[in-house]
């Protein structure tokens, strides 16, 4: 078990260390409070020293912002091509996370945050980490993410295609990018083959919050089996399915990618970027070598009913960043014994596509998200 150690009022102390990004416990930890200057905090953090905050909660957030500004004083090196720009951007974000992650807070054995003006984070932490058991140290940046996730979970995300809200859990990719949901909401459903006429069935692979499975049920698909490898995603999808009263039509299973049997429709929205995630929270976006995309294509034909289709929802951002080519994607489709029936494209509507300060702005502004309708040969 990971543990951090520090000395406070001449007394050695320790606590369990938790990091969603699997960051090892800091070797050197000192207490810090409102008297600590931002320059000193930034220098210590860059040197690898963790700062266990004992002052005012709002002052800690301000210190985090001040440290962030100091990181921004040194802009990342300019790259010669999109792929290098992407890798430099990831390296810069990793450095930022590492430095800011050294501002640490202590959660008591009931997840109480015993700081002045601190919010009640017990429910948020229970949702993210499970029941409390012992004092636990976490980075302030991670705790702020936990608090934000609790707010999203409580409020939910409006999904016009459902006429309802989806409530994402901590660590589960949120359907805030509605364009890929709209693609599934409007693509023509495949009709069952005449000799297999009956209830229309679908698989939703990598369901996350369950949003696409819910959209398919809303469109009238009789039975959907949704899968995911993440225990958090499975719990989240089940909660959303119950809330939407689709429990009788949607089964949530895991951890295999494909469930047993065949379906008229198999939908998959894999991570779009073939790169290594730095935490469990990034697994909805980054996938080393595009493994999920490859496994979906390889297994699709054997899981389709006659006349069935596979719907691949995929952004071309990886292509624009030089991380995958269109030729590689088409070759993968052909090698799997599949053919393209049709493709529907949509442009991004998310704010980052308009953020000219983003180092990857050129690629993001030109990004196209597509629904590829695939069928067996």
């Amino acid at each position: 078990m990971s543990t951090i150690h520090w000395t406070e009022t001449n007394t050695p102390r320790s606590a369990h260390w938790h990091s969603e990004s699997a960051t090892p416990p800091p070797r050197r930890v000192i207490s810090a409070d409102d008297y600590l200057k931002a320059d000193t905090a930034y220098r210590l953090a860059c040197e690898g020293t963790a700062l266990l905050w004992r002052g005012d909660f709002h002052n800690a957030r301000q210190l985090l912002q001040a440290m962030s500004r100091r990181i921004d004083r040194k802009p990342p090196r300019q790259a010669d091509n999109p792929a290098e720009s992407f890798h430099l951007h990831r390296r810069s974000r990793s450095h930022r996370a590492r430095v800011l992650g050294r501002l640490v807070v202590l959660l008591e054995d009931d997840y109480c945050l015993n700081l002045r003006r601190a919010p009640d984070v017990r429910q948020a932490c229970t949702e993210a980490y499970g029941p409390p058991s012992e004092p636990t140290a976490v980075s302030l940046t991670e705790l702020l993410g936990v608090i934000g996730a609790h707010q999203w979970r409580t409020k939910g995300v409006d999904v016009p295609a459902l006429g309802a809200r989806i409530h994402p859990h901590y660590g589960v990719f949120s359907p805030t990018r509605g364009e890929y949901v709209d693609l599934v909401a409007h693509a023509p459903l495949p009709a069952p083959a005449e000799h297999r006429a009956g209830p229309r069935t679908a698989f939703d692979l990598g369901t996350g919050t369950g949003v696409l499975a819910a959209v398919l049920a809303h469109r009238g698909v009789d039975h959907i089996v949704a899968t995911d490898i993440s225990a958090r995603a499975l719990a989240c999808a089940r909660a959303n399915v119950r809330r939407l009263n689709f429990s009788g039509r949607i089964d949530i299973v895991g951890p295999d990618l494909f469930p047993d049997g065949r379906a008229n429709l198999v939908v998959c929205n894999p991570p779009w970027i073939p790169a290594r995630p730095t935490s469990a929270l990034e697994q909805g976006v980054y996938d080393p070598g595009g493994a999920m995309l490859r496994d979906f294509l390889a297994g699709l034909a054997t899981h389709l009913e006659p006349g069935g289709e596979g719907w691949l929802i995929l952004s071309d951002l990886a292509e624009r960043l030089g991380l995958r080519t269109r030729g590689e994607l088409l070759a993968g489709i052909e090698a799997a014994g599949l053919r393209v029936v049709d493709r529907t494209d949509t442009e991004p509507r998310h704010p980052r596509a308009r953020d000219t300060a983003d180092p990857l702005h050129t690629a993001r502004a030109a990004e196209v998200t597509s629904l590829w309708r695939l069928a067996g040969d």
Side-chain angles (χ1 to χ4, degrees):
M1 179 170 51
S2 297
T3 306
I4 69 166
H5 303 271
W6 74 98
T7 299
E8 197 165 14
T9 60
N10 298 318
T11 302
R13 297 194 59 185
S14 64
H16 172 65
W17 169 254
H18 181 86
S19 169
E20 287 290 321
S21 59
T23 301
R27 295 182 178 179
R28 182 167 186 259
V29 183
I30 63 172
S31 295
D33 58 24
D34 305 312
Y35 294 100
L36 181 66
K37 301 294 185 183
D39 284 336
T40 303
Y42 176 63
R43 175 178 57 79
L44 289 169
C46 288
E47 293 171 353
T49 298
L51 310 169
L52 180 62
W53 190 254
R54 294 309 211 180
D56 179 87
F57 176 78
H58 292 285
N59 287 348
R61 295 189 64 169
Q62 291 177 355
L63 177 61
L64 203 62
Q65 294 170 358
M67 294 169 65
S68 180
R69 289 193 295 270
R70 282 157 176 77
I71 295 174
D72 292 338
R73 288 174 181 171
K74 186 178 180 180
R77 180 170 60 85
Q78 294 295 315
D80 296 327
N81 57 71
E84 187 181 359
S85 294
F86 170 77
H87 292 302
L88 288 175
H89 175 64
R90 293 277 284 165
R91 188 181 305 167
S92 174
R93 287 178 60 87
S94 178
H95 171 71
R96 171 186 290 272
R98 191 164 52 248
V99 172
L100 297 183
R102 291 181 178 133
L103 184 57
V104 174
V105 295
L106 181 66
L107 302 169
E108 303 297 337
D109 56 10
D110 62 349
Y111 287 144
C112 178
L113 183 60
N114 190 19
L115 299 175
R116 292 190 308 276
R117 294 199 292 170
D120 185 347
V121 300
R122 289 174 294 181
Q123 181 63 33
C125 290
T126 299
E127 291 171 354
Y129 302 141
S133 59
E134 59 184 323
T136 300
V138 299
S139 72
L140 178 57
T141 52
E142 179 171 310
L143 180 61
L144 293 175
V146 167
I147 294 170
H150 170 68
Q151 293 169 345
W152 275 111
R153 178 170 177 167
T154 301
K155 178 183 177 182
V157 177
D158 184 46
V159 180
L162 280 175
R165 304 184 81 83
I166 287 288
H167 295 257
H169 290 193
Y170 179 74
V172 182
F173 188 73
S174 176
T176 51
R177 288 191 56 166
E179 57 264 28
Y180 78 92
V181 178
D182 290 342
L183 286 171
V184 172
H186 295 106
L189 292 170
E194 291 184 6
H195 66 287
R196 294 293 297 266
R200 182 183 277 124
T201 58
F203 296 160
D204 174 25
L205 312 183
T207 192
T209 60
V211 61
L212 296 185
V215 168
L216 294 174
H218 184 69
R219 294 192 62 186
V221 176
D222 301 287
H223 183 226
I224 301 105
V225 181
T227 70
D228 210 288
I229 63 170
S230 164
R232 280 174 170 161
L234 294 173
C236 178
R238 288 179 182 129
N240 281 309
V241 166
R242 285 194 301 270
R243 185 179 287 109
L244 294 167
N245 296 316
F246 286 140
S247 296
R249 296 167 58 194
I250 301 176
D251 294 328
I252 310 294
V253 301
D256 294 333
L257 178 63
F258 283 95
D260 293 336
R262 296 172 179 262
N264 305 116
L265 175 63
V266 180
V267 177
C268 186
N269 176 30
W272 293 344
I273 305 296
R276 183 179 63 86
T278 59
S279 71
L281 305 182
E282 289 191 341
Q283 289 178 354
V285 179
Y286 299 98
D287 181 26
M292 184 175 174
L293 170 61
R294 185 174 61 250
D295 291 346
F296 164 71
L297 293 175
L300 179 58
T302 58
H303 287 85
L304 285 177
E305 292 280 14
E309 290 183 4
W311 289 0
L312 171 64
I313 301 97
L314 194 65
S315 158
D316 69 352
L317 183 61
E319 298 174 19
R320 297 183 184 279
L321 292 174
L323 305 176
R324 179 175 57 232
T325 67
R326 178 57 58 91
E328 289 171 337
L329 174 60
L330 295 175
I333 292 172
E334 182 179 3
L338 303 167
R339 59 184 173 83
V340 178
V341 176
D342 195 10
R343 192 187 80 217
T344 305
D345 299 333
T346 187
E347 296 179 354
R349 301 191 297 266
H350 58 90
R352 296 184 73 177
R354 301 185 296 275
D355 182 6
T356 56
D358 187 331
L360 307 179
H361 170 69
T362 300
R364 293 195 196 279
E367 178 187 5
V368 173
T369 300
S370 302
L371 186 150
W372 297 75
R373 294 173 53 201
L374 308 175
D377 283 338

